């Protein structure tokens, strides 16, 4: 039985033996994000389009005990399916579930159950350099081959300690595959500090060999640290990531090590005008896998929830890109 099934069975058993509680459901809140524009990758033109819709709310279980939830879907693929010759106007495209999570704040800490959700490691550690619309610093969506940490995860059970001196510890168990005879496919831990101006986070993620590609010969360890400093409208950020025994098919033993670095500066004026500049680099055991990129974004907020932007990523090996568009948040 997997860890997820064990915990769910225990929860059902406890619920069956617990006196019924009066639960009040608050009216859920809808939210969303829309980004649309034009994208040019070297000689090819494309659309840069994102469409995400979600619902969030909470159930008041008892005085001071609230179960929060959020469900969010990514509809960009389905919205563009008519333009995909492999799908066709009458075909179907996947609707990706981006968030499906519950979190329960208590005086003893925060408990999170997320069948699907944003990776806390990515948000807390890589957030200091995440100022871009297209050239984001994660392995999924628009992969640049520099950082290995994905921005989303599945089957996560996490515990956050209470804040102490603006610092908390987070531990998580991740179940990615129900059919590999492993109770846990990954383990993660991170230490997070949120100050008035200085934010820092450091953590590790261990992925078990059994859920890696068949050629992998060892467990995969990702260690990372990120920091940011804000003063007025200026935010400076830096991230370092160390990868040990990363799956690599061209290596004789199926694994390799590499380090990745990223720095970024983001400034937003009171007028809503903003600029972000950054640099990312990967130093791999195998030179053919090295990569670096310079990034630049200009933006103008025309309303509290609407902005227009232009961005470029100039890569050393991968095709460089240029994008312009607008985004709406509600």
């Amino acid at each position: 039985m997997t860890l997820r099934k064990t915990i769910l069975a225990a929860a059902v058993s406890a619920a069956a033996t617990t006196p019924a509680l009066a639960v009040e459901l608050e009216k859920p809140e809808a939210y969303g994000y829309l980004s649309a524009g034009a994208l040019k990758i070297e000689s090819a033109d494309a659309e840069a389009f994102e469409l995400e819709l979600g619902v969030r709310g909470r159930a008041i279980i008892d005085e001071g005990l609230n179960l929060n939830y959020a469900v969010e879907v990514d509809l960009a693929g389905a919205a563009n399916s008519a333009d995909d010759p492999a799908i066709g106007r009458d075909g179907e495209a996947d609707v990706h579930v981006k968030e499906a999570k519950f979190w329960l704040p208590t005086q003893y800490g925060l408990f999170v159950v997320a069948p699907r959700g944003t990776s806390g490691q990515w948000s807390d550690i890589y957030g200091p350099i995440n100022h871009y619309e297209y050239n984001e610093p994660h392995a999924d969506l628009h992969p640049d081959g520099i950082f290995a940490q994905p921005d989303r995860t599945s089957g996560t059970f996490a515990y956050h300690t209470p804040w102490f001196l603006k610092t908390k510890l987070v531990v998580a168990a991740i179940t990615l595959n129900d059919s590999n005879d492993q109770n846990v496919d990954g383990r993660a831990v991170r230490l997070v500090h949120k100050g008035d101006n200085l934010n820092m986070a450091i953590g590790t993620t261990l992925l078990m060999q059994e859920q890696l590609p068949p050629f992998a010969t060892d467990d995969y360890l990702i260690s990372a640290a990120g920091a940011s400093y804000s003063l007025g409208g200026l935010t400076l950020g830096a991230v370092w990531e160390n990868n040990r025994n990363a799956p690599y098919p061209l290596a004789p033993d199926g694994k390799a090590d590499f380090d990745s670095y990223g720095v970024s500066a983001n400034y937003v004026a009171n007028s809503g005008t903003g600029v972000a500049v950054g640099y990312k680099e990967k130093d791999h055991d195998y030179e053919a896998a090295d990569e670096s990129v310079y990034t630049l974004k200009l933006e103008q907020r025309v309303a509290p929830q609407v902005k227009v932007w232009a961005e470029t990523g100039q890569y050393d090996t991968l095709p460089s890109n240029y994008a312009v568009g607008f985004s709406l948040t509600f």
Side-chain angles (χ1 to χ4, degrees):
M1 180 179 289
T2 65
L3 176 67
R4 176 166 50 189
K5 292 178 181 177
T6 301
I7 294 178
L8 289 177
V12 170
S13 176
T17 59
T18 301
L21 296 175
V23 178
E24 178 185 350
L25 291 176
E26 292 190 343
K27 183 178 179 180
E29 173 191 10
Y31 66 96
Y33 174 77
L34 169 65
S35 179
L39 171 67
K40 184 177 182 63
I41 303 177
E42 294 295 353
S43 59
D45 296 330
E47 293 179 349
F49 184 71
E50 295 179 61
L51 176 58
E52 299 164 4
L53 299 175
V55 179
R56 58 191 168 206
R58 66 175 182 170
I60 303 175
I61 301 174
D62 201 355
E63 184 176 354
L65 189 61
N66 302 315
L67 178 63
N68 299 267
Y69 64 88
V71 178
E72 181 179 332
V73 294
D74 184 345
L75 302 173
N80 288 315
S81 62
D83 298 325
D84 189 341
I87 299 174
R89 184 173 301 276
D90 298 325
E92 295 181 357
D94 289 336
V95 174
H96 297 286
V97 178
K98 186 175 181 180
E99 300 281 351
K101 64 181 180 182
F102 301 88
W103 64 100
L104 182 67
T106 73
Q107 60 180 323
Y108 306 106
L110 177 70
F111 298 86
V112 179
V113 179
R116 183 68 168 163
T118 300
S119 165
Q121 299 287 95
W122 177 76
S123 298
D124 288 334
I125 299 176
Y126 299 78
I129 61 172
N130 186 28
H131 305 301
Y132 304 93
E133 303 291 333
Y134 184 79
N135 298 277
E136 297 178 281
H138 53 72
D140 295 338
L141 189 59
H142 309 303
D144 56 22
I146 295 178
F147 290 105
Q149 177 69 47
D151 70 325
R152 304 177 192 178
T153 186
S154 301
T156 301
F157 296 88
Y159 168 69
H160 302 229
T161 66
W163 288 95
F164 179 70
L165 298 179
K166 300 181 180 181
T167 304
K168 69 175 179 179
L169 178 69
V170 183
V171 294
I174 306 167
T175 303
L176 300 172
N177 188 342
D178 285 337
S179 59
N180 62 2
D181 296 325
Q182 296 294 312
N183 289 331
V184 176
D185 297 316
R187 300 179 179 90
V189 60
R190 66 184 180 275
L191 189 66
V192 182
H193 174 78
K194 299 286 187 181
D196 295 332
N197 302 100
L198 178 65
N199 297 328
M200 298 181 294
I202 184 170
T204 61
T205 301
L206 178 67
L207 299 177
M208 310 302 290
Q209 177 188 343
E210 288 77 8
Q211 75 90 33
L212 298 175
F215 58 81
T217 59
D218 208 339
D219 296 341
Y220 176 22
L221 181 66
I222 304 174
S223 302
S228 67
Y229 183 80
S230 299
L231 184 63
L234 176 66
T235 301
L236 304 175
V239 172
W240 163 77
E241 180 187 85
N242 175 260
N243 293 265
R244 288 292 174 262
N245 301 325
Y248 191 67
L250 300 183
D253 56 357
K255 60 184 181 181
D257 300 337
F258 65 92
D259 290 284
S260 298
Y261 313 88
V263 293
S264 187
N266 183 51
Y267 179 74
V268 180
N270 293 333
S271 63
T273 301
V275 58
V277 293
Y279 175 75
K280 296 181 289 182
E281 178 181 349
K282 178 173 70 173
D283 183 13
H284 200 277
D285 279 350
Y286 290 81
E287 186 176 345
D290 288 348
E291 183 61 280
S292 63
V293 59
Y294 291 93
T295 51
L296 170 66
K297 185 186 78 169
L298 304 175
E299 68 176 40
Q300 177 64 55
R301 192 166 294 278
V302 297
Q305 296 172 302
V306 181
K307 67 179 179 181
V308 294
W309 51 267
E311 179 176 313
T312 182
Q314 297 294 308
Y315 289 85
D316 178 45
T317 302
L318 293 173
S320 297
N321 60 71
Y322 303 87
V324 295
F326 72 91
S327 62
L328 167 66
T329 304
F330 62 90

